[in-house]
Amino acid sequence: NHQQRKTLRNQEKNIAKIDKQRNTRNAEMLNTSDAKKAMSLHSQIEIIADELAEVEERWCELSQELGDW
């Protein structure tokens, strides 16, 4: 149970870190006029979004196991 709570906290930190990366890439994409750079950033955002979804899913699973959610 202690290990699960520790893992849950780590997942929360990962979610915050990944979300910050996504926000940074979104801001970069909005501020570029270079089409190639925008496409590259868009691809990066999609990869980050997939990673975020996986981490959030694991967080939900752990929360349910611990009865926190």
Side-chain angles (χ1 to χ4, degrees), residues 4-20 52 54-60 62-64 66 68-69:
Q4 286 178 314
R5 290 209 178 274
K6 185 176 178 181
T7 301
L8 187 67
R9 284 191 302 273
N10 285 337
Q11 293 293 44
E12 290 169 351
K13 290 176 186 177
N14 284 341
I15 289 169
K17 182 181 95 175
I18 296 167
D19 193 47
K20 184 177 178 180
L52 183 59
E54 289 177 22
V55 174
E56 286 175 334
E57 183 176 333
R58 181 66 181 135
W59 178 87
C60 286
L62 284 170
S63 291
Q64 289 174 345
L66 293 169
D68 290 349
W69 191 65

Side-chain angles (χ1 to χ4, degrees), residues 25 29 37-47:
R25 295 300 184 281
M29 191 170 76
K37 183 174 181 181
M39 290 300 296
S40 173
L41 289 166
H42 178 73
S43 295
Q44 291 174 38
I45 291 165
E46 288 181 335
I47 292 167

